Amino acid sequence: MTPRDLRILITNDDGIEAPGIRWLARALAHADYDVVVAAPLSESSGSSASMTAVVQDGKIVSEPREIQGAKHIPAYGVAASPAYIVLLALREAFGPAPALVVSGINRGANAGAAVVHSGTVGATLTASHAGLRGLAVSLDVLTPAQATAASGGAAIDAIHKADEEQHHWASGAELAVRILPALLHTPPGTVFNLNVPDLHVDGIRGLKQASLARFGQVQMSIAEAGDGFVRTAVQAAEEEMDPGTDLAALADNFAVVTPIRAPHEDTGIRINVDGIRIQTPAL
């Protein structure tokens, strides 16, 4: 099978106008994959695998868009969450159903336990649940101090839009293209979560496989609570990084990949419903 035989849906949670999706789409199309882009009309960071959409007169809002520098790539802005867009694509809303979903390039790392909140990762996990392989790609453009509570630990950058083009989106796109053949040799339903340092590809120390850290880059706290409101604050996670985890690898300027799957039954736990006894594996 050649790349041209593999139809790829590219989506994200930063929105159709985000630079990362443009770099990713152009790189995959240049590698001769059959690419279609469908992404939220507005930012959907922290949406996980939520199923939300804007409906007018019983119809989900969707409009054709043009990818800068790649007018030949069909693209759509959709008023829906990334996971919902995946389901629409599987039902041929944007042409033939995709065989693979690639999500990103996200503005900020999606690493550690925080992946459960990520719309970027949520899109690929939705694809995994349907039996498709998925690749989530994120660029570590942030420091924890720039995070917001809305990001759920996969921090959103607060920089001016004009500065976004200065990030190394090309590095994330190049590594995504490199790792895609390996993903295609995994069992159906596999997802690769790829995080890339914000460096020129020549400055990245290599690509490592690592486990998810026990925590995300940032943690939320309650700054103030009063009558009818709560105000949150976000700060750098205080836990010490464990060697062999994705966050530790990123801190050492490695690109890092973690294979993950959609939630499934934990067969290691047995429940006696009548007696409400739970048997767990021996530790």
Side-chain angles (χ1 to χ4, degrees):
M1 183 174 66
T2 66
R4 179 51 52 182
D5 298 321
L6 185 71
R7 184 168 176 83
I8 297 178
L9 169 69
I10 300 179
T11 191
N12 70 358
D13 69 1
D14 289 327
I16 189 68
E17 300 294 341
I21 199 168
R22 183 194 331 136
W23 282 89
L24 188 59
R26 291 191 304 222
L28 289 173
H30 184 72
D32 207 29
Y33 289 100
D34 179 17
V35 169
V36 60
V37 173
L41 280 169
S42 58
E43 186 167 312
S44 298
S45 295
S47 60
S48 188
S50 66
M51 295 289 148
T52 58
V54 175
V55 179
Q56 295 179 357
D57 299 324
K59 302 173 183 177
I60 297 172
V61 178
S62 176
E63 57 189 50
R65 289 298 180 97
E66 186 177 289
I67 300 297
Q68 182 182 340
K71 295 181 180 180
H72 63 288
I73 298 176
Y76 305 87
V78 188
S81 61
Y84 202 151
I85 289 172
V86 170
L87 290 185
L88 293 174
L90 291 174
R91 287 153 179 79
E92 303 186 359
F94 315 110
L100 181 78
V101 172
V102 180
S103 184
I105 302 169
N106 191 66
R107 186 193 299 114
N110 278 304
V115 297
V116 71
H117 305 293
S118 165
T120 303
V121 177
T124 59
L125 291 178
T126 301
S128 171
H129 186 70
L132 275 65
R133 299 172 181 87
L135 173 63
V137 188
S138 303
L139 190 68
D140 188 19
V141 302
L142 307 171
T143 63
Q146 293 173 299
T148 70
S151 67
I156 301 171
D157 203 349
I159 62 174
H160 190 276
K161 282 191 175 183
D163 297 327
E164 286 193 326
E165 300 298 335
Q166 307 306 314
H167 292 302
H168 295 85
W169 304 108
S171 297
E174 180 175 332
L175 286 171
V177 171
R178 285 189 197 177
I179 203 169
L180 209 51
L183 176 62
L184 297 178
H185 285 88
T186 62
T190 301
V191 169
F192 281 178
N193 185 42
L194 174 65
N195 283 283
V196 180
D198 187 21
L199 299 169
H200 187 278
V201 70
D202 292 339
I204 296 173
R205 296 177 63 187
L207 176 63
K208 281 186 173 183
Q209 180 175 342
S211 59
L212 294 175
R214 294 176 291 109
F215 49 90
Q217 286 182 312
V218 297
Q219 59 187 19
M220 185 182 72
S221 60
I222 303 300
E224 185 181 5
D227 187 14
F229 78 95
V230 175
R231 185 167 61 86
T232 62
V234 177
Q235 61 190 41
E238 298 177 354
E239 290 88 346
E240 187 174 336
M241 290 186 188
D242 294 326
T245 63
D246 50 6
L247 285 177
L250 273 176
D252 288 336
N253 291 332
F254 283 93
V256 58
V257 61
T258 305
I260 57 178
R261 278 187 175 269
H264 61 279
E265 177 193 4
D266 187 343
T267 57
I269 296 177
R270 293 289 180 266
I271 303 173
N272 184 327
V273 178
D274 294 331
I276 316 299
R277 292 197 309 271
I278 298 177
Q279 177 182 340
T280 59
L283 300 178

